[in-house]
Amino acid sequence: MRRRHYMPFGAHVESGGVRFRLWAPDAAAVELCLRGPHGRRYEPMRGDGGGWFEVFADDAYPGCRYLYRIDGGLEVPDPASRFQPDDAHGPSEVIDPHDFAWEDGDWRGRRWEEAVIYELHVGTFTAAGRFRAVERRLDHLAALGVTAVELMPVADFPGRRGWGYDGVLPFAPDSAYGRPEDLKHLVQAAHARGLMVFLDVVYNHFGPDGNYLHAYAGGRFFTERHHTPWGKAINFDGDGSRVVRDFFVHNALYWLEEYHFDGLRLDAVHAIKDDSRVHVLEELARGVRAELPEDRHVHLVLENDDNAARFLGRAPDGARLYDAQWSDDIHHVLHVAATGETGGYYEDYAAEPMRRLGRALTEGFAYQGEASAHRGGAPRGEPSRHLPASCFVAFLQNHDQIGNRALGERLHALADAAAARAVTAVLLLAPMPPLLFMGQEWGSRQPFYYFCDFHDALADAVREGRRQEFAAFPAFRDPEARARIPDPNAPETFAACVLDWAQAGREGHRDWLDLTRTLIDLRARHIVPRLPGTGAGAYDLPGGRVLRAAWRLGDGSGLHLRANLGPDPAPAGPPLPGRPLHHLGAAAATLPGWSVQWTREAAA
C-alpha cells in the first residue's frame, strides 16, 4: 500500500519530473535552485500575479536537493519541505511518498475510550535518540498496557537538540531523529503491536531561528493585528489568510494520511488568534473529519488554557470537532495535593483543593467561568458538565509540567512516595483517558529540562531569558541561585534528560513498574469496556482531605472512588457500593493518609 497527501504547494513528484510550487506574495521573482552532482542550476518560476510561483523540472527526481532563490538573492528551503537532510537552513530534499510500501492496510485505529497515552521525546527516550530506537522499545510499551504513543513535535527545528516547539518547517521530520521512512516504519511497527501513534503539532507560532517565511510572505503570513508570546501572530483572519489556513489544514491531513498517524495533539491553541466567523480550529477539525474514511478512528486533542468547552461538543457517533483536551485542572490540583506547592499557577488550586479535584474529575473543568487569581481575577473556562469524561486527558506529569520548572523535577522527586502512589491510583482508574510521561511508569527521578541548540546572541538571550523567568520565585531571587538553572543550550543539559532504562529493573523502581502495570490492566479489564456512553459524575466532601466520587458508566454499572489525599487519617464513613476494584491503604473504619479505594457496582 502506498500513501500520499496531495498538497497545493511544495515539491510534487510526477511522471517525468517534479512540480514545484511556492506562495511568495512579497517577492517579485522566484527561481528554483536545483543542486545536483554537476552543481547548481537555476530555473525561473512562473508567477500568476496572486503570489504563487510554479515550475516543472524534468531533471528533478526523488532524492535531489533544492532551494528557492528570492528576488535574485536569498536562497531559502521549501516551507512545505518533506525533509531537510542538512537541517533547517539547508536545502530541501525531494521525497516521493510512494517509495514507502505500507504493510498496515488493515489498521483502523482504536476507539478513543481505549486510550492510555504515553508521551515521549524521541531525542531523549533512548540513548540513540532516533525513530528506529523508539521502535525497539515498543514491546515494553505494549507490555505496560498503554494503547497510544504520543510523540512530542518532530517537525524540523534548528540544531540537533530541542523540544520541537520551535519548529520552522512543519512538514519535515527532523533529520536528528532519522529520515521520513524511519518515522513511517515506527508508526507501522506500533500498529503491528496494537498501539496508536499521536503526534504533537504546533500551529500557534514558528521558532525564532530558521523561519524564512518573513522574507517572502511575511506581509500575508503574519499579522500585527494580533500578538502572541512569540511576537506577531500567524494570520488566520486577515488578507491572505485563506492560503495560511490551508497550509495548516493540509499539514494536519498530511501527518494523518501520509504518515498514518492516529491522531494529533494541537499545542497551546489559546495562543491562536482568529476573529473569523469560522475559527481555524473548527475548519481544521471539520476538514479532517470530512477527508478521512469513516471507518478510521482518528483523534484530535487540544491543549487549551482557556478551558473552552465549545470545541469539545459531541455528535451521536463521537466527537463533532475535537475528542478531548489536556486537563491542566486535574494535574494542578493533584500536584498541589501531593507536593503542597501553591506558587505560580498552583495558587488557583490552593484553596479547597478537594472541591476543585471533585469538580474536575466529575464535570471536566475545575474552572468553568470562575475568576482566576493567577490571571488577575479574569474569568476562566466554560461550563463542561454536559461533556463526557472522555473529553479530558488526565496526567500527573508531562513535558510542560516537568520541563517548565527551573530544575526540571519530576513528581517522584517532589512528593512523598505514598502521596505519589495515591494520586497515581486516582489517575489510572478514573474514567478520563490517562497520560504518562516517559519513565513515569518506573518512578523515574531523572530531570527533564528545557533544552535547545541555538547559537550566538540568540543562545545568550534564551539562556538569560530562562533565568529571568524565574527571578520572581523566592528560591531564585538571588542571582547565584539563578545561575544554577541549567543552560538550555548546553549539551550536558540535554544529556541529563536521556532516559536511563537500567533504572526500570532496580530496587525502588520495579515496584513502581508493577503498580503501573497492575492499574492499567485493571483499567483495561474492568473500566474501558464500559466507558462508551459515560457522562458526568458526582462528588461529595466528607471532610478533611477526603473525596468521594461516583460515575454511572455506559453499561449502567457504577464506578466509585474514595480517596484520602492527605497525610492524616480520616473517618472512612459508609462503605462504597459494589465490589472492590483496587485498594491502596484503605481500612474499614479509618482511612489512613494517602489511601485510595475504588469499587465497581453492577448495573441495576
Side-chain angles (χ1 to χ4, degrees), residues 540-587:
D540 67 90
L541 306 174
R545 298 290 289 273
V546 177
L547 168 72
R548 288 174 57 113
W551 299 263
R552 185 63 57 190
L553 302 178
D555 68 344
S557 62
L559 180 66
H560 299 269
L561 164 68
R562 178 166 53 194
N564 180 11
L565 298 183
D568 300 324
L576 292 180
R579 302 180 61 180
L581 184 61
H582 179 74
H583 285 192
L584 184 66

Side-chain angles (χ1 to χ4, degrees), residues 210-288:
N211 173 23
Y212 290 98
L213 283 163
H214 290 285
Y216 54 86
R220 300 285 188 88
F221 214 99
F222 304 94
T223 177
E224 290 279 9
R225 293 185 304 105
H226 303 299
H227 288 267
T228 73
W230 309 279
K232 289 195 297 185
I234 295 173
N235 175 29
F236 287 113
D237 58 4
D239 186 27
S241 61
R242 178 68 270 154
V243 177
V244 177
R245 293 165 78 98
D246 287 344
F247 184 82
F248 290 101
V249 172
H250 276 286
N251 185 259
L253 288 166
Y254 164 80
W255 292 117
L256 296 169
E257 291 185 320
E258 199 159 297
Y259 282 81
H260 213 205
F261 278 100
D262 299 280
L264 303 174
R265 180 259 191 190
L266 279 65
D267 178 67
V269 299
H270 51 271
I272 293 176
K273 309 300 182 183
D274 184 6
D275 292 334
S276 303
R277 185 178 61 83
V278 177
H279 196 283
V280 66
L281 289 177
E282 181 174 346
E283 181 178 329
L284 185 150
R286 291 192 183 281
V288 166

Side-chain angles (χ1 to χ4, degrees), residues 208-209 454-463 489:
D209 180 27
F454 297 132
H455 301 279
D456 303 324
L458 180 57
D460 294 339
V462 169
R463 181 188 311 109
N489 296 283

Side-chain angles (χ1 to χ4, degrees), residues 110 116 118 125 134-149 189-190 192-196 428 436 441-442 501 504 510 512-525:
R110 302 181 67 151
V116 177
Y118 189 97
F125 184 59
V134 174
E135 186 176 325
R136 291 192 286 273
R137 293 292 183 179
L138 291 178
D139 288 336
H140 165 83
L141 300 182
L144 182 63
V146 302
T147 60
V149 178
R193 291 162 174 80
L195 297 171
M196 299 182 283
L428 291 178
L436 301 172
E441 70 270 32
W442 66 72
W501 281 83
R510 289 192 302 268
W512 266 109
L513 189 56
D514 290 343
L515 175 64
T516 305
R517 285 176 175 156
T518 296
L519 290 170
I520 293 176
D521 179 66
L522 286 171
R523 179 184 188 85
R525 289 189 292 114

